[in-house]
Amino acid sequence: MTIRDNVSTKVAISDVTLDESIYPRENIDHKRVSIFAENLRDNIKFDPIEVQVHPKKEGQYRILDGVHRWNAHKEVGLTDIQVIIKDLKAIDPLLYAAKMAIGPKQLTEKETRSTARRAFQNNPRLTSSEIGRLIGRSRQTIANYIADLKAVRQIKLDQKIWRMNRLGIPQERIAMRLGETRDIIRNHLGKMLILTKSPNTDLSQGLTIPQVAAKHGWTEPMLWSWVLEGKSDQSRFKDLGWGLRTWDLWNFNDCDHRFGDEWPGRIPAQMIAHILFYFSNPNDLIFDPMAGGGVTADTSLALGRRCWSLDMEDRADNRPEIEPYHWDMTLNNWEDTILAGKEKPDLIIFDPPYFQKKADSYGENSIARMPRQEYLHFLDNFFRFLKNNTRKTTRLALINSDWRDFQSCPALEEETQNAILLTDYYKILEPAGWELTHIIQAPLSSERFNAIMVSAMQEKKILGVTSRYILLLKQKNS
Ligand SMILES: C[S@@+](CC[C@H](N)C(=O)[O-])C[C@H]1O[C@@H](n2cnc3c(N)ncnc32)[C@H](O)[C@@H]1O
């Protein structure tokens, strides 16, 4: 590691801050500050302190070395201070600060331990030798300091790899997503059976799935995927406690909280499970291009399907299986997505924002912020893209709701140009090469409307929307 020194310059004291997250010491030594202040009053010159540009506060610098000198300047009432602005490149600033602290006044054992642990938590790819070299301790000492953190990280990494592999994500994509080499991924995959050993023992001794999940840090869908292996779809429904709907009206009172995260616009896992049951086969590849809280991936695990997911929101730690991607109409680089490879999905489950509903809950560049024409134009392009980049046999399940601007408007006065109805979706799907095979009703819950709201709506002749549909489509022979 090389550090590029930059020249010394003067900056305002008020532009320099102490950032606790990169300060290796426990406390500031006030006696030392007073001595330095006395020296300053006697006109004794000090070396410049070292700072770096603050990564979060514009126009500010954070101290890498010289907290006591900086405090002394403030005590004396000086308004500026001589600094060297460092460019650390890839060097961890906490470790650099610790290295600089070794010279004048050694860090205590407690401070060294805490610095090593904090540095590892910030960047788990640092080796014990690298940390040791920078803060003046042996590799073995650092290894002891961080042994527990390393073990937890190892288990977490194993679990992420297990889940992503189970969902059929190729090794090179797992490696890229987790920032590891393919060799490391291969190596971990070779030891996956060991990972399931303790949960397995606990399950066979009668612990429930939530108990085992909590004990071993597994997610419940991962455990379901494991315990239901080899079972038929129907048995899986039974074990999961889901009644199987035989007709095309799928009413579900609530989301199943075991599957997917709290997420604006979250859909019930039971609904995804029914789509998977009727329109896919075990081990099929499912694609969810706007995956949100991950309910499709979780349900796919429980029903033994593989699943690739994308979303513009990146939650690398909790949801590594949802790969970050923003469908941007202006860029037109959609062909470079995970659909570029040879393997194509058997079924696409597409649950986009229902036009502007919940627009405030999604990111600024979400399609929910688009005006009506643009939103429909986006979907038009998107359906064509899906058609052209999948197989002839790929099916599409589009989940959507009628959108009418009904909130404070009597039914007779609603403006049709603001509405998007089921038929509007079909008007673009058909020319984009998709043929409708089923329309399934899966209504939204109306529980969010309380009695007072309902009576006010009735008073004004407002007609609310609880309709939600799943349109099932296959590719037209053209
Ligand atoms: C209705 S939510 C999906 C909810 C999901 N099915 C669930 O049950 O949790 C729609 C998702 O689309 C994503 N989204 C909206 N516009 C997007 C875009 N242009 N590119 C990628 N994702 C987008 C949002 O971040 C949001 O998570």
Side-chain angles (χ1 to χ4, degrees):
M1 292 183 189
T2 52
I3 298 158
R4 212 181 76 203
D5 281 63
N6 295 4
V7 276
S8 162
T9 176
K10 231 178 208 172
V11 300
I13 290 264
S14 54
D15 288 345
V16 177
T17 50
L18 168 63
D19 180 350
E20 300 274 355
S21 73
I22 60 158
Y23 189 51
R25 295 193 188 278
E26 273 191 290
N27 299 306
I28 289 167
D29 181 347
H30 293 288
K31 230 161 106 191
R32 203 157 163 236
V33 173
S34 300
I35 296 170
F36 286 174
E38 209 45 54
N39 293 159
L40 281 172
R41 285 191 199 98
D42 291 343
N43 276 332
I44 292 175
K45 281 248 171 294
F46 278 93
D47 285 341
I49 68 168
E50 291 192 6
V51 296
Q52 72 171 172
V53 172
H54 202 297
K56 291 195 187 124
K57 296 184 184 161
E58 218 186 305
Q60 295 267 306
Y61 301 96
R62 59 179 186 178
I63 303 175
L64 294 166
D65 180 41
V67 169
H68 292 94
R69 280 168 280 161
W70 170 69
N71 270 306
H73 275 66
K74 288 202 293 185
E75 197 173 300
V76 174
L78 295 170
T79 51
D80 43 34
I81 185 167
Q82 201 70 29
V83 301
I84 293 176
I85 304 166
K86 304 288 285 188
D87 178 0
L88 293 186
K89 303 266 185 238
I91 299 173
D92 184 279
L94 172 63
L95 288 180
Y96 180 79
K99 177 186 153 106
M100 296 307 288
I102 293 170
K105 187 173 180 244
Q106 287 282 335
L107 294 177
T108 64
E109 208 48 42
K110 199 170 162 201
E111 286 168 343
T112 315
R113 183 173 187 275
S114 141
T115 301
R117 290 172 70 80
R118 281 156 66 195
F120 180 77
Q121 278 165 322
N122 287 345
N123 178 6
R125 256 163 237 116
L126 283 171
T127 64
S128 299
S129 321
E130 279 172 326
I131 299 176
R133 214 175 307 129
L134 276 164
I135 60 177
R137 292 290 191 281
S138 72
R139 186 196 61 77
Q140 191 50 50
T141 307
I142 303 296
N144 291 341
Y145 285 160
I146 62 173
D148 58 327
L149 299 178
K150 237 180 156 161
V152 170
R153 174 177 143 76
Q154 194 70 10
I155 293 172
K156 275 196 182 158
L157 185 64
D158 276 339
Q159 290 175 353
K160 286 179 187 169
I161 296 173
W162 192 92
R163 193 155 87 217
M164 293 173 84
N165 181 56
R166 197 88 173 165
L167 287 167
I169 301 174
Q171 281 184 28
E172 72 266 20
R173 286 218 321 262
I174 301 181
M176 198 156 61
R177 179 75 169 131
L178 301 181
E180 304 289 349
T181 63
R182 280 185 75 174
D183 280 348
I184 289 188
I185 302 297
R186 209 171 302 122
N187 196 1
H188 278 254
L189 282 171
K191 299 183 200 143
M192 285 292 136
L193 264 184
I194 304 171
L195 188 70
T196 52
K197 219 168 158 190
S198 326
N200 234 359
T201 313
D202 284 338
L203 285 167
S204 61
Q205 285 175 353
L207 258 61
T208 62
I209 293 229
Q211 283 168 336
V212 177
K215 183 172 170 193
H216 296 281
W218 282 49
T219 65
E220 288 193 41
M222 284 166 72
L223 284 170
W224 281 114
S225 145
W226 179 249
V227 301
L228 296 176
E229 191 162 84
K231 293 203 175 184
S232 70
D233 280 354
Q234 263 162 299
S235 321
R236 288 177 193 245
F237 264 74
K238 206 159 153 232
D239 289 354
L240 288 158
W242 292 334
L244 190 50
R245 306 287 195 270
T246 315
W247 315 106
D248 58 358
L249 172 61
W250 299 348
N251 255 318
F252 305 108
N253 285 337
D254 206 354
C255 288
D256 186 323
H257 291 276
R258 297 171 297 178
F259 299 88
D261 305 327
E262 275 307 328
W263 196 263
R266 179 189 197 171
I267 43 177
Q270 306 89 304
M271 183 165 114
I272 296 291
H274 278 78
I275 299 176
L276 295 179
F277 179 85
Y278 285 109
F279 300 103
S280 75
N281 291 307
N283 206 38
D284 270 1
L285 178 61
I286 315 299
F287 176 52
D288 184 342
M290 294 197 185
V295 91
T296 307
D298 279 356
T299 314
S300 295
L301 279 174
L303 286 197
R305 269 64 168 175
R306 295 171 298 138
C307 179
W308 295 351
S309 313
L310 298 175
D311 200 280
M312 60 187 275
E313 301 290 339
D314 185 10
R315 292 180 298 143
D317 205 37
N318 288 341
R319 286 281 174 187
E321 71 272 37
I322 304 181
E323 297 168 66
Y325 188 78
H326 176 237
W327 301 100
D328 183 346
M329 261 217 310
T330 58
L331 288 181
N332 271 334
N333 62 345
W334 294 355
E335 285 77 9
D336 301 336
T337 62
I338 55 184
L339 290 189
K342 244 199 251 151
E343 170 130 46
K344 305 291 183 196
D346 299 287
L347 172 66
I348 302 159
I349 298 187
F350 183 35
D351 178 36
Y354 308 159
F355 188 36
Q356 289 168 356
K357 195 173 170 189
K358 302 205 186 292
D360 294 342
S361 312
Y362 304 130
E364 264 183 31
N365 301 326
S366 129
I367 60 165
R369 307 259 177 136
M370 291 176 170
R372 182 179 184 276
Q373 271 316 316
E374 211 179 307
Y375 174 85
L376 290 173
H377 182 50
F378 170 91
L379 289 181
D380 187 353
N381 282 353
F382 197 63
F383 295 142
R384 285 171 200 273
F385 158 78
L386 290 177
K387 162 95 172 29
N388 295 334
N389 288 276
T390 52
R391 280 193 272 113
K392 274 260 149 273
T393 50
T394 302
R395 303 249 176 174
L396 169 63
L398 168 68
I399 304 167
N400 222 306
S401 180
D402 281 347
W403 202 93
R404 286 194 282 102
D405 196 6
F406 72 88
Q407 299 288 351
S408 52
C409 193
L412 267 177
E413 287 162 32
E414 277 182 45
E415 300 283 357
T416 49
Q417 72 264 26
N418 291 339
I420 301 183
L421 305 180
L422 184 68
T423 44
D424 293 307
Y425 292 106
Y426 189 60
K427 272 186 216 155
I428 41 184
L429 279 159
E430 222 271 326
W434 292 95
E435 188 174 23
L436 197 55
T437 61
H438 303 77
I439 300 177
I440 294 153
Q441 298 177 55
L444 297 157
S445 155
S446 58
E447 275 170 25
R448 65 202 157 98
F449 296 102
N450 61 33
I452 300 170
M453 284 160 87
V454 169
S455 103
M457 284 167 72
Q458 289 175 352
E459 192 69 32
K460 291 189 186 154
K461 298 198 174 182
I462 289 172
L463 182 60
V465 176
T466 56
S467 73
R468 177 173 51 191
Y469 308 96
I470 306 162
L471 300 186
L472 262 301
L473 303 115
K474 66 177 189 178
Q475 305 205 355
K476 279 202 297 195
N477 291 322
S478 52

